Amino acid sequence: MASRLRILIAEDNRVLADVMRFNLEAEGFEVTVAHNGQKALGIAQTECFDLIISDYQMPGLSGEELLRGIRADSVNTTAVCVLCSAKGYELDEEQLKDELGLHSIVMKPFSPRDLVVLAQEIETNPGPTGLCATKLVLS
Amino acid sequence: MPARSETSSVTASNLTLRLLTLHVAAVGAALLLAVGPFLLTSDPSIRAAGVASGLLVSVLLVLMSLPAVLRPSNRIRRQLAAFPDDPEAVWDPQPVNGRTSVEAGWNRLVAAARNWHLLTQLERQIGESLDGAAGNVHSQALDALKEGVAITDSDNLLLAVNSAFASLCVCEHECEQSSFKGRPIEECLPDDVDLGQFRAVSRPVTIDVDQLVDGEIRHMQIARRPRLNESGQIEGHVWTLRDMTQQHLAEEAREQFVASATHELRTPLASIRAYAETLATSENIDREQQKRFFNTIQSEASRLGRFIDDLLDVSRMQAGSLSLDCHETDIARLITETVEKIRPTMDQKQQTFDVELPSKLPHLNIDKGKISAALVNLLGNASKYTPDGGRISFRVVTSGQNLEFTVTDTGIGIAPEELSQVFERFFRSDDDRVHEVSGSGLGLTLTQEIARLHGGDVLADSQLNKGSTFRLVLPLTTGV
């Protein structure tokens, strides 16, 4: 594997987090899982990630608050972020996407393959700043 | 009216003149008869003396009879002169003595006028009575409405309001229903509303506005429709004020319920789909992993099924149609069956499970299935929120007029600020440890409702990080 895409999953549902991790690791990506928003924010403030997948509704710190914190003050201000939600029509998707610079909002139930495909796309086209792995090598 | 007064005066003068003329004519005729024989004599002195005495007698007759002739006509004239200018004023004519055609005619006129006056008065009284009754009915009907109703004129000044309007209006000054007349409608509308929002004068307009009253938001709906006169022209408006706060709260509660239910349905479904797709598409997956994934799907599908059952029960509960199917139940047997059902869960987590029962337990007339489900829920929660190797005790005692089922654990406990919320629908603690296990937030709601339907209750006590105690109390009066 030339470069390992670094992915952070913030999901309080351990059953779902496990299967997401299984699918992404099976493709060779490097996956870190945090089971609540506060832990995820702590990790994101010190570690670089290319893709951050966060659940919307989590105890303590919600997905929205987590991504707001990541965008405001972390090493991941330009990371590709995806918000997953089991909520219904009450989410203002367009406003959230604009405000948090989200790649997309994925409604549960979703296909884990979609996340794998997205991760592959990022790996192929990492954007102007490059992948975390490259940055780490350079630093 | 002046015209009528002039007419009356003229009529009175003419009457007097005519009476005098008649009187003088009568006296003249008498004079002619009296002096006629003297005029036929040839002696001039006798003729002159006869005429002179005849004239004298006539003058005396006229003077003597004149008051009698004029008295009735004067009374008639005075009464006619007193005819009032104001058509609404009372005029009460009196009959006069006398037998002349004028007096008789006057007396007939007085009688007719009195009848007419009585009729008019009666008519007015009936009209006022009917108007009053109709007005009273309208006023009572308007006051019975929950909606505030106000009627304004073309200048948007209030003509009338009902009692609901008076109470919904947030007044700066006096708020009595009777004090509104003549005040501008703007004074009674929420601050955020101005009449510019009701530009379309000729058609109904409805606006919704939030109003801060005593620190709480009140959702108001204000509607205005034109009020037309008989020729179809707008002569003002009818305003209605509706307090929609309760409807808004009900709608919010419904949306919250749908949102929570959606979340709880999507969560296990997301796992089922993700694991099923993974099994279907992954090539490098060993048999052990396959088995684990299948078990997860099964467990999430069961969770989904339980949630749907709970959701239906909560819906029935809300509709008041969650009913009991009560039969005589041996409590000792019910406890044995319930304990056997839950014990494998405790064993899996290597938890100590103590069961303490009295030597004799009653038979109660209860819904066995629902009470068993309630106990399984309390024992299941105790196991879920107690770490592996912890202790759970189940104690049943008769206390006064009640049978008490007490479940105590050495689990994570509940924060004091959350303890009062544990029976609320869809409530789940913010504690991370709670989210490590699945739960819909409906179990305790239903357990408490089941106990209450039996005339009992469920009580909770807890200390964070020490453990919790849940007590299901059933009255022994449900015994058979």
Side-chain angles (χ1 to χ4, degrees), chain A residues 13-15 22-23 36 59 86 90 108-109 111, chain B residues 259 266-267 273 275 277-278 289 296 430 432 436:
Chain A
N13 181 346
R14 286 162 190 259
V15 175
F22 177 88
N23 280 276
N36 69 50
E90 65 271 27
K108 294 177 183 177
S111 166
Chain B
R266 283 181 190 269
T267 300
R273 179 175 175 184
Y275 279 92
E277 272 195 24
T278 305
Q289 272 175 325
T296 303
D430 266 348
D432 283 353
E436 288 172 7

mmCIF file with all atom_site columns, all heavy atoms in Angstrom, chain A residues 13-15 22-23 36 59 86 90 108-109 111, chain B residues 259 266-267 273 275 277-278 289 296 430 432 436:
data_model
loop_
_atom_site.group_PDB
_atom_site.id
_atom_site.type_symbol
_atom_site.label_atom_id
_atom_site.label_alt_id
_atom_site.label_comp_id
_atom_site.label_asym_id
_atom_site.label_entity_id
_atom_site.label_seq_id
_atom_site.pdbx_PDB_ins_code
_atom_site.Cartn_x
_atom_site.Cartn_y
_atom_site.Cartn_z
_atom_site.occupancy
_atom_site.B_iso_or_equiv
_atom_site.pdbx_formal_charge
_atom_site.auth_seq_id
_atom_site.auth_comp_id
_atom_site.auth_asym_id
_atom_site.auth_atom_id
_atom_site.pdbx_PDB_model_num
ATOM 1   N N   . ASN A 1 13  ? -22.442 4.121   18.823 1.00 0.00 ? 13  ASN A N   1
ATOM 2   C CA  . ASN A 1 13  ? -23.001 2.780   18.629 1.00 0.00 ? 13  ASN A CA  1
ATOM 3   C C   . ASN A 1 13  ? -21.855 1.834   18.239 1.00 0.00 ? 13  ASN A C   1
ATOM 4   O O   . ASN A 1 13  ? -21.398 1.812   17.106 1.00 0.00 ? 13  ASN A O   1
ATOM 5   C CB  . ASN A 1 13  ? -24.071 2.843   17.538 1.00 0.00 ? 13  ASN A CB  1
ATOM 6   C CG  . ASN A 1 13  ? -24.725 1.500   17.278 1.00 0.00 ? 13  ASN A CG  1
ATOM 7   O OD1 . ASN A 1 13  ? -24.227 0.454   17.708 1.00 0.00 ? 13  ASN A OD1 1
ATOM 8   N ND2 . ASN A 1 13  ? -25.827 1.527   16.569 1.00 0.00 ? 13  ASN A ND2 1
ATOM 9   N N   . ARG A 1 14  ? -21.412 1.067   19.230 1.00 0.00 ? 14  ARG A N   1
ATOM 10  C CA  . ARG A 1 14  ? -20.227 0.235   19.019 1.00 0.00 ? 14  ARG A CA  1
ATOM 11  C C   . ARG A 1 14  ? -20.433 -0.798  17.920 1.00 0.00 ? 14  ARG A C   1
ATOM 12  O O   . ARG A 1 14  ? -19.499 -1.137  17.178 1.00 0.00 ? 14  ARG A O   1
ATOM 13  C CB  . ARG A 1 14  ? -19.862 -0.482  20.326 1.00 0.00 ? 14  ARG A CB  1
ATOM 14  C CG  . ARG A 1 14  ? -19.251 0.473   21.323 1.00 0.00 ? 14  ARG A CG  1
ATOM 15  C CD  . ARG A 1 14  ? -19.270 -0.070  22.725 1.00 0.00 ? 14  ARG A CD  1
ATOM 16  N NE  . ARG A 1 14  ? -18.889 0.997   23.654 1.00 0.00 ? 14  ARG A NE  1
ATOM 17  C CZ  . ARG A 1 14  ? -17.692 1.110   24.187 1.00 0.00 ? 14  ARG A CZ  1
ATOM 18  N NH1 . ARG A 1 14  ? -16.747 0.226   23.952 1.00 0.00 ? 14  ARG A NH1 1
ATOM 19  N NH2 . ARG A 1 14  ? -17.404 2.114   24.996 1.00 0.00 ? 14  ARG A NH2 1
ATOM 20  N N   . VAL A 1 15  ? -21.652 -1.330  17.832 1.00 0.00 ? 15  VAL A N   1
ATOM 21  C CA  . VAL A 1 15  ? -21.950 -2.357  16.817 1.00 0.00 ? 15  VAL A CA  1
ATOM 22  C C   . VAL A 1 15  ? -21.720 -1.778  15.417 1.00 0.00 ? 15  VAL A C   1
ATOM 23  O O   . VAL A 1 15  ? -21.074 -2.401  14.566 1.00 0.00 ? 15  VAL A O   1
ATOM 24  C CB  . VAL A 1 15  ? -23.408 -2.849  16.987 1.00 0.00 ? 15  VAL A CB  1
ATOM 25  C CG1 . VAL A 1 15  ? -23.788 -3.814  15.878 1.00 0.00 ? 15  VAL A CG1 1
ATOM 26  C CG2 . VAL A 1 15  ? -23.593 -3.498  18.350 1.00 0.00 ? 15  VAL A CG2 1
ATOM 27  N N   . PHE A 1 22  ? -14.346 -2.467  10.187 1.00 0.00 ? 22  PHE A N   1
ATOM 28  C CA  . PHE A 1 22  ? -14.027 -3.703  9.477  1.00 0.00 ? 22  PHE A CA  1
ATOM 29  C C   . PHE A 1 22  ? -13.916 -3.450  7.972  1.00 0.00 ? 22  PHE A C   1
ATOM 30  O O   . PHE A 1 22  ? -12.946 -3.861  7.322  1.00 0.00 ? 22  PHE A O   1
ATOM 31  C CB  . PHE A 1 22  ? -15.115 -4.763  9.758  1.00 0.00 ? 22  PHE A CB  1
ATOM 32  C CG  . PHE A 1 22  ? -14.902 -6.051  9.017  1.00 0.00 ? 22  PHE A CG  1
ATOM 33  C CD1 . PHE A 1 22  ? -14.126 -7.068  9.566  1.00 0.00 ? 22  PHE A CD1 1
ATOM 34  C CD2 . PHE A 1 22  ? -15.455 -6.264  7.750  1.00 0.00 ? 22  PHE A CD2 1
ATOM 35  C CE1 . PHE A 1 22  ? -13.916 -8.259  8.884  1.00 0.00 ? 22  PHE A CE1 1
ATOM 36  C CE2 . PHE A 1 22  ? -15.241 -7.439  7.061  1.00 0.00 ? 22  PHE A CE2 1
ATOM 37  C CZ  . PHE A 1 22  ? -14.462 -8.454  7.627  1.00 0.00 ? 22  PHE A CZ  1
ATOM 38  N N   . ASN A 1 23  ? -14.907 -2.740  7.413  1.00 0.00 ? 23  ASN A N   1
ATOM 39  C CA  . ASN A 1 23  ? -14.920 -2.507  5.965  1.00 0.00 ? 23  ASN A CA  1
ATOM 40  C C   . ASN A 1 23  ? -13.772 -1.604  5.513  1.00 0.00 ? 23  ASN A C   1
ATOM 41  O O   . ASN A 1 23  ? -13.158 -1.844  4.470  1.00 0.00 ? 23  ASN A O   1
ATOM 42  C CB  . ASN A 1 23  ? -16.256 -1.893  5.546  1.00 0.00 ? 23  ASN A CB  1
ATOM 43  C CG  . ASN A 1 23  ? -17.350 -2.926  5.412  1.00 0.00 ? 23  ASN A CG  1
ATOM 44  O OD1 . ASN A 1 23  ? -17.488 -3.573  4.373  1.00 0.00 ? 23  ASN A OD1 1
ATOM 45  N ND2 . ASN A 1 23  ? -18.109 -3.118  6.477  1.00 0.00 ? 23  ASN A ND2 1
ATOM 46  N N   . ASN A 1 36  ? -17.199 8.486   21.741 1.00 0.00 ? 36  ASN A N   1
ATOM 47  C CA  . ASN A 1 36  ? -17.981 9.695   22.060 1.00 0.00 ? 36  ASN A CA  1
ATOM 48  C C   . ASN A 1 36  ? -17.284 10.924  21.466 1.00 0.00 ? 36  ASN A C   1
ATOM 49  O O   . ASN A 1 36  ? -16.115 10.880  21.072 1.00 0.00 ? 36  ASN A O   1
ATOM 50  C CB  . ASN A 1 36  ? -18.228 9.845   23.570 1.00 0.00 ? 36  ASN A CB  1
ATOM 51  C CG  . ASN A 1 36  ? -16.982 10.150  24.363 1.00 0.00 ? 36  ASN A CG  1
ATOM 52  O OD1 . ASN A 1 36  ? -16.225 11.066  24.023 1.00 0.00 ? 36  ASN A OD1 1
ATOM 53  N ND2 . ASN A 1 36  ? -16.748 9.377   25.422 1.00 0.00 ? 36  ASN A ND2 1
ATOM 54  N N   . PRO A 1 59  ? -23.669 11.215  23.037 1.00 0.00 ? 59  PRO A N   1
ATOM 55  C CA  . PRO A 1 59  ? -23.784 11.816  24.363 1.00 0.00 ? 59  PRO A CA  1
ATOM 56  C C   . PRO A 1 59  ? -22.638 12.804  24.603 1.00 0.00 ? 59  PRO A C   1
ATOM 57  O O   . PRO A 1 59  ? -21.542 12.623  24.084 1.00 0.00 ? 59  PRO A O   1
ATOM 58  C CB  . PRO A 1 59  ? -23.683 10.610  25.307 1.00 0.00 ? 59  PRO A CB  1
ATOM 59  C CG  . PRO A 1 59  ? -22.988 9.562   24.525 1.00 0.00 ? 59  PRO A CG  1
ATOM 60  C CD  . PRO A 1 59  ? -23.349 9.783   23.093 1.00 0.00 ? 59  PRO A CD  1
ATOM 61  N N   . ALA A 1 86  ? -29.104 9.385   12.226 1.00 0.00 ? 86  ALA A N   1
ATOM 62  C CA  . ALA A 1 86  ? -30.322 8.564   12.240 1.00 0.00 ? 86  ALA A CA  1
ATOM 63  C C   . ALA A 1 86  ? -31.536 9.460   12.426 1.00 0.00 ? 86  ALA A C   1
ATOM 64  O O   . ALA A 1 86  ? -32.639 8.984   12.649 1.00 0.00 ? 86  ALA A O   1
ATOM 65  C CB  . ALA A 1 86  ? -30.235 7.548   13.379 1.00 0.00 ? 86  ALA A CB  1
ATOM 66  N N   . GLU A 1 90  ? -35.634 16.778  10.643 1.00 0.00 ? 90  GLU A N   1
ATOM 67  C CA  . GLU A 1 90  ? -35.359 17.955  11.469 1.00 0.00 ? 90  GLU A CA  1
ATOM 68  C C   . GLU A 1 90  ? -33.972 18.548  11.246 1.00 0.00 ? 90  GLU A C   1
ATOM 69  O O   . GLU A 1 90  ? -33.670 19.625  11.751 1.00 0.00 ? 90  GLU A O   1
ATOM 70  C CB  . GLU A 1 90  ? -35.580 17.644  12.952 1.00 0.00 ? 90  GLU A CB  1
ATOM 71  C CG  . GLU A 1 90  ? -34.650 16.628  13.566 1.00 0.00 ? 90  GLU A CG  1
ATOM 72  C CD  . GLU A 1 90  ? -35.154 15.199  13.431 1.00 0.00 ? 90  GLU A CD  1
ATOM 73  O OE1 . GLU A 1 90  ? -35.906 14.915  12.473 1.00 0.00 ? 90  GLU A OE1 1
ATOM 74  O OE2 . GLU A 1 90  ? -34.779 14.366  14.263 1.00 0.00 ? 90  GLU A OE2 1
ATOM 75  N N   . LYS A 1 108 ? -28.681 7.214   8.069  1.00 0.00 ? 108 LYS A N   1
ATOM 76  C CA  . LYS A 1 108 ? -28.716 5.793   8.424  1.00 0.00 ? 108 LYS A CA  1
ATOM 77  C C   . LYS A 1 108 ? -30.083 5.221   8.050  1.00 0.00 ? 108 LYS A C   1
ATOM 78  O O   . LYS A 1 108 ? -31.083 5.919   8.224  1.00 0.00 ? 108 LYS A O   1
ATOM 79  C CB  . LYS A 1 108 ? -28.505 5.620   9.932  1.00 0.00 ? 108 LYS A CB  1
ATOM 80  C CG  . LYS A 1 108 ? -27.122 6.032   10.420 1.00 0.00 ? 108 LYS A CG  1
ATOM 81  C CD  . LYS A 1 108 ? -27.053 5.877   11.923 1.00 0.00 ? 108 LYS A CD  1
ATOM 82  C CE  . LYS A 1 108 ? -25.698 6.352   12.439 1.00 0.00 ? 108 LYS A CE  1
ATOM 83  N NZ  . LYS A 1 108 ? -25.607 6.285   13.911 1.00 0.00 ? 108 LYS A NZ  1
ATOM 84  N N   . PRO A 1 109 ? -30.186 3.996   7.557  1.00 0.00 ? 109 PRO A N   1
ATOM 85  C CA  . PRO A 1 109 ? -29.083 3.072   7.319  1.00 0.00 ? 109 PRO A CA  1
ATOM 86  C C   . PRO A 1 109 ? -28.360 3.400   6.006  1.00 0.00 ? 109 PRO A C   1
ATOM 87  O O   . PRO A 1 109 ? -28.996 3.755   5.013  1.00 0.00 ? 109 PRO A O   1
ATOM 88  C CB  . PRO A 1 109 ? -29.806 1.733   7.209  1.00 0.00 ? 109 PRO A CB  1
ATOM 89  C CG  . PRO A 1 109 ? -31.186 2.053   6.743  1.00 0.00 ? 109 PRO A CG  1
ATOM 90  C CD  . PRO A 1 109 ? -31.504 3.399   7.274  1.00 0.00 ? 109 PRO A CD  1
ATOM 91  N N   . SER A 1 111 ? -24.859 2.360   3.290  1.00 0.00 ? 111 SER A N   1
ATOM 92  C CA  . SER A 1 111 ? -24.032 1.241   2.866  1.00 0.00 ? 111 SER A CA  1
ATOM 93  C C   . SER A 1 111 ? -22.573 1.522   3.257  1.00 0.00 ? 111 SER A C   1
ATOM 94  O O   . SER A 1 111 ? -22.041 2.584   2.910  1.00 0.00 ? 111 SER A O   1
ATOM 95  C CB  . SER A 1 111 ? -24.136 1.071   1.345  1.00 0.00 ? 111 SER A CB  1
ATOM 96  O OG  . SER A 1 111 ? -23.107 0.212   0.909  1.00 0.00 ? 111 SER A OG  1
ATOM 97  N N   . ALA B 2 259 ? -39.322 12.100  15.797 1.00 0.00 ? 259 ALA B N   1
ATOM 98  C CA  . ALA B 2 259 ? -37.865 12.170  15.634 1.00 0.00 ? 259 ALA B CA  1
ATOM 99  C C   . ALA B 2 259 ? -37.180 11.087  16.467 1.00 0.00 ? 259 ALA B C   1
ATOM 100 O O   . ALA B 2 259 ? -36.281 10.384  15.978 1.00 0.00 ? 259 ALA B O   1
ATOM 101 C CB  . ALA B 2 259 ? -37.364 13.551  16.051 1.00 0.00 ? 259 ALA B CB  1
ATOM 102 N N   . ARG B 2 266 ? -33.954 3.687   12.982 1.00 0.00 ? 266 ARG B N   1
ATOM 103 C CA  . ARG B 2 266 ? -32.838 3.720   12.031 1.00 0.00 ? 266 ARG B CA  1
ATOM 104 C C   . ARG B 2 266 ? -31.576 3.086   12.603 1.00 0.00 ? 266 ARG B C   1
ATOM 105 O O   . ARG B 2 266 ? -30.785 2.504   11.853 1.00 0.00 ? 266 ARG B O   1
ATOM 106 C CB  . ARG B 2 266 ? -32.506 5.171   11.652 1.00 0.00 ? 266 ARG B CB  1
ATOM 107 C CG  . ARG B 2 266 ? -33.458 5.818   10.659 1.00 0.00 ? 266 ARG B CG  1
ATOM 108 C CD  . ARG B 2 266 ? -32.972 7.233   10.392 1.00 0.00 ? 266 ARG B CD  1
ATOM 109 N NE  . ARG B 2 266 ? -33.882 8.055   9.650  1.00 0.00 ? 266 ARG B NE  1
ATOM 110 C CZ  . ARG B 2 266 ? -33.879 8.168   8.325  1.00 0.00 ? 266 ARG B CZ  1
ATOM 111 N NH1 . ARG B 2 266 ? -33.019 7.468   7.616  1.00 0.00 ? 266 ARG B NH1 1
ATOM 112 N NH2 . ARG B 2 266 ? -34.727 8.971   7.720  1.00 0.00 ? 266 ARG B NH2 1
ATOM 113 N N   . THR B 2 267 ? -31.378 3.218   13.926 1.00 0.00 ? 267 THR B N   1
ATOM 114 C CA  . THR B 2 267 ? -30.115 2.763   14.512 1.00 0.00 ? 267 THR B CA  1
ATOM 115 C C   . THR B 2 267 ? -29.900 1.247   14.348 1.00 0.00 ? 267 THR B C   1
ATOM 116 O O   . THR B 2 267 ? -28.883 0.833   13.783 1.00 0.00 ? 267 THR B O   1
ATOM 117 C CB  . THR B 2 267 ? -30.022 3.234   15.980 1.00 0.00 ? 267 THR B CB  1
ATOM 118 O OG1 . THR B 2 267 ? -30.095 4.651   15.976 1.00 0.00 ? 267 THR B OG1 1
ATOM 119 C CG2 . THR B 2 267 ? -28.737 2.793   16.645 1.00 0.00 ? 267 THR B CG2 1
ATOM 120 N N   . ARG B 2 273 ? -28.250 -3.524  8.071  1.00 0.00 ? 273 ARG B N   1
ATOM 121 C CA  . ARG B 2 273 ? -27.869 -3.325  6.660  1.00 0.00 ? 273 ARG B CA  1
ATOM 122 C C   . ARG B 2 273 ? -26.349 -3.417  6.495  1.00 0.00 ? 273 ARG B C   1
ATOM 123 O O   . ARG B 2 273 ? -25.864 -4.083  5.566  1.00 0.00 ? 273 ARG B O   1
ATOM 124 C CB  . ARG B 2 273 ? -28.366 -1.959  6.169  1.00 0.00 ? 273 ARG B CB  1
ATOM 125 C CG  . ARG B 2 273 ? -27.957 -1.720  4.731  1.00 0.00 ? 273 ARG B CG  1
ATOM 126 C CD  . ARG B 2 273 ? -28.502 -0.452  4.143  1.00 0.00 ? 273 ARG B CD  1
ATOM 127 N NE  . ARG B 2 273 ? -27.947 -0.277  2.800  1.00 0.00 ? 273 ARG B NE  1
ATOM 128 C CZ  . ARG B 2 273 ? -28.174 0.772   2.043  1.00 0.00 ? 273 ARG B CZ  1
ATOM 129 N NH1 . ARG B 2 273 ? -28.971 1.737   2.460  1.00 0.00 ? 273 ARG B NH1 1
ATOM 130 N NH2 . ARG B 2 273 ? -27.635 0.858   0.846  1.00 0.00 ? 273 ARG B NH2 1
ATOM 131 N N   . TYR B 2 275 ? -24.031 -4.911  8.354  1.00 0.00 ? 275 TYR B N   1
ATOM 132 C CA  . TYR B 2 275 ? -23.501 -6.270  8.549  1.00 0.00 ? 275 TYR B CA  1
ATOM 133 C C   . TYR B 2 275 ? -23.932 -7.195  7.412  1.00 0.00 ? 275 TYR B C   1
ATOM 134 O O   . TYR B 2 275 ? -23.138 -8.013  6.935  1.00 0.00 ? 275 TYR B O   1
ATOM 135 C CB  . TYR B 2 275 ? -23.951 -6.833  9.905  1.00 0.00 ? 275 TYR B CB  1
ATOM 136 C CG  . TYR B 2 275 ? -23.083 -6.327  11.048 1.00 0.00 ? 275 TYR B CG  1
ATOM 137 C CD1 . TYR B 2 275 ? -23.415 -5.188  11.746 1.00 0.00 ? 275 TYR B CD1 1
ATOM 138 C CD2 . TYR B 2 275 ? -21.912 -6.999  11.402 1.00 0.00 ? 275 TYR B CD2 1
ATOM 139 C CE1 . TYR B 2 275 ? -22.626 -4.706  12.761 1.00 0.00 ? 275 TYR B CE1 1
ATOM 140 C CE2 . TYR B 2 275 ? -21.099 -6.525  12.425 1.00 0.00 ? 275 TYR B CE2 1
ATOM 141 C CZ  . TYR B 2 275 ? -21.460 -5.365  13.106 1.00 0.00 ? 275 TYR B CZ  1
ATOM 142 O OH  . TYR B 2 275 ? -20.655 -4.905  14.108 1.00 0.00 ? 275 TYR B OH  1
ATOM 143 N N   . GLU B 2 277 ? -24.641 -6.350  4.303  1.00 0.00 ? 277 GLU B N   1
ATOM 144 C CA  . GLU B 2 277 ? -23.874 -5.999  3.100  1.00 0.00 ? 277 GLU B CA  1
ATOM 145 C C   . GLU B 2 277 ? -22.438 -6.479  3.212  1.00 0.00 ? 277 GLU B C   1
ATOM 146 O O   . GLU B 2 277 ? -21.849 -6.953  2.235  1.00 0.00 ? 277 GLU B O   1
ATOM 147 C CB  . GLU B 2 277 ? -23.884 -4.481  2.901  1.00 0.00 ? 277 GLU B CB  1
ATOM 148 C CG  . GLU B 2 277 ? -25.081 -4.012  2.097  1.00 0.00 ? 277 GLU B CG  1
ATOM 149 C CD  . GLU B 2 277 ? -24.898 -2.575  1.600  1.00 0.00 ? 277 GLU B CD  1
ATOM 150 O OE1 . GLU B 2 277 ? -23.736 -2.112  1.462  1.00 0.00 ? 277 GLU B OE1 1
ATOM 151 O OE2 . GLU B 2 277 ? -25.924 -1.954  1.363  1.00 0.00 ? 277 GLU B OE2 1
ATOM 152 N N   . THR B 2 278 ? -21.891 -6.355  4.405  1.00 0.00 ? 278 THR B N   1
ATOM 153 C CA  . THR B 2 278 ? -20.500 -6.792  4.607  1.00 0.00 ? 278 THR B CA  1
ATOM 154 C C   . THR B 2 278 ? -20.380 -8.291  4.366  1.00 0.00 ? 278 THR B C   1
ATOM 155 O O   . THR B 2 278 ? -19.455 -8.761  3.687  1.00 0.00 ? 278 THR B O   1
ATOM 156 C CB  . THR B 2 278 ? -20.042 -6.425  6.030  1.00 0.00 ? 278 THR B CB  1
ATOM 157 O OG1 . THR B 2 278 ? -20.255 -5.027  6.221  1.00 0.00 ? 278 THR B OG1 1
ATOM 158 C CG2 . THR B 2 278 ? -18.582 -6.753  6.253  1.00 0.00 ? 278 THR B CG2 1
ATOM 159 N N   . GLN B 2 289 ? -15.830 -14.825 12.048 1.00 0.00 ? 289 GLN B N   1
ATOM 160 C CA  . GLN B 2 289 ? -16.358 -13.471 11.845 1.00 0.00 ? 289 GLN B CA  1
ATOM 161 C C   . GLN B 2 289 ? -17.774 -13.522 11.262 1.00 0.00 ? 289 GLN B C   1
ATOM 162 O O   . GLN B 2 289 ? -18.649 -12.759 11.645 1.00 0.00 ? 289 GLN B O   1
ATOM 163 C CB  . GLN B 2 289 ? -15.445 -12.689 10.903 1.00 0.00 ? 289 GLN B CB  1
ATOM 164 C CG  . GLN B 2 289 ? -14.322 -11.970 11.649 1.00 0.00 ? 289 GLN B CG  1
ATOM 165 C CD  . GLN B 2 289 ? -13.358 -11.308 10.697 1.00 0.00 ? 289 GLN B CD  1
ATOM 166 O OE1 . GLN B 2 289 ? -13.090 -11.836 9.607  1.00 0.00 ? 289 GLN B OE1 1
ATOM 167 N NE2 . GLN B 2 289 ? -12.817 -10.173 11.092 1.00 0.00 ? 289 GLN B NE2 1
ATOM 168 N N   . THR B 2 296 ? -24.921 -10.665 15.293 1.00 0.00 ? 296 THR B N   1
ATOM 169 C CA  . THR B 2 296 ? -25.202 -9.233  15.460 1.00 0.00 ? 296 THR B CA  1
ATOM 170 C C   . THR B 2 296 ? -26.489 -8.856  14.722 1.00 0.00 ? 296 THR B C   1
ATOM 171 O O   . THR B 2 296 ? -27.331 -8.121  15.251 1.00 0.00 ? 296 THR B O   1
ATOM 172 C CB  . THR B 2 296 ? -24.025 -8.390  14.927 1.00 0.00 ? 296 THR B CB  1
ATOM 173 O OG1 . THR B 2 296 ? -22.844 -8.789  15.604 1.00 0.00 ? 296 THR B OG1 1
ATOM 174 C CG2 . THR B 2 296 ? -24.256 -6.905  15.140 1.00 0.00 ? 296 THR B CG2 1
ATOM 175 N N   . ASP B 2 430 ? -26.944 11.013  29.601 1.00 0.00 ? 430 ASP B N   1
ATOM 176 C CA  . ASP B 2 430 ? -25.781 11.523  28.870 1.00 0.00 ? 430 ASP B CA  1
ATOM 177 C C   . ASP B 2 430 ? -24.525 10.724  29.205 1.00 0.00 ? 430 ASP B C   1
ATOM 178 O O   . ASP B 2 430 ? -23.474 10.926  28.581 1.00 0.00 ? 430 ASP B O   1
ATOM 179 C CB  . ASP B 2 430 ? -25.562 13.000  29.235 1.00 0.00 ? 430 ASP B CB  1
ATOM 180 C CG  . ASP B 2 430 ? -26.256 13.917  28.239 1.00 0.00 ? 430 ASP B CG  1
ATOM 181 O OD1 . ASP B 2 430 ? -26.689 13.411  27.185 1.00 0.00 ? 430 ASP B OD1 1
ATOM 182 O OD2 . ASP B 2 430 ? -26.351 15.127  28.511 1.00 0.00 ? 430 ASP B OD2 1
ATOM 183 N N   . ASP B 2 432 ? -21.784 8.239   29.117 1.00 0.00 ? 432 ASP B N   1
ATOM 184 C CA  . ASP B 2 432 ? -21.256 7.401   28.019 1.00 0.00 ? 432 ASP B CA  1
ATOM 185 C C   . ASP B 2 432 ? -21.510 5.917   28.243 1.00 0.00 ? 432 ASP B C   1
ATOM 186 O O   . ASP B 2 432 ? -21.755 5.166   27.303 1.00 0.00 ? 432 ASP B O   1
ATOM 187 C CB  . ASP B 2 432 ? -19.734 7.594   27.913 1.00 0.00 ? 432 ASP B CB  1
ATOM 188 C CG  . ASP B 2 432 ? -19.406 8.899   27.230 1.00 0.00 ? 432 ASP B CG  1
ATOM 189 O OD1 . ASP B 2 432 ? -20.345 9.550   26.739 1.00 0.00 ? 432 ASP B OD1 1
ATOM 190 O OD2 . ASP B 2 432 ? -18.212 9.252   27.206 1.00 0.00 ? 432 ASP B OD2 1
ATOM 191 N N   . GLU B 2 436 ? -23.123 2.563   25.819 1.00 0.00 ? 436 GLU B N   1
ATOM 192 C CA  . GLU B 2 436 ? -22.368 1.367   25.413 1.00 0.00 ? 436 GLU B CA  1
ATOM 193 C C   . GLU B 2 436 ? -23.297 0.179   25.250 1.00 0.00 ? 436 GLU B C   1
ATOM 194 O O   . GLU B 2 436 ? -22.926 -0.829  24.667 1.00 0.00 ? 436 GLU B O   1
ATOM 195 C CB  . GLU B 2 436 ? -21.274 1.072   26.465 1.00 0.00 ? 436 GLU B CB  1
ATOM 196 C CG  . GLU B 2 436 ? -20.133 2.084   26.397 1.00 0.00 ? 436 GLU B CG  1
ATOM 197 C CD  . GLU B 2 436 ? -19.142 1.925   27.534 1.00 0.00 ? 436 GLU B CD  1
ATOM 198 O OE1 . GLU B 2 436 ? -19.270 0.950   28.306 1.00 0.00 ? 436 GLU B OE1 1
ATOM 199 O OE2 . GLU B 2 436 ? -18.247 2.780   27.662 1.00 0.00 ? 436 GLU B OE2 1
#
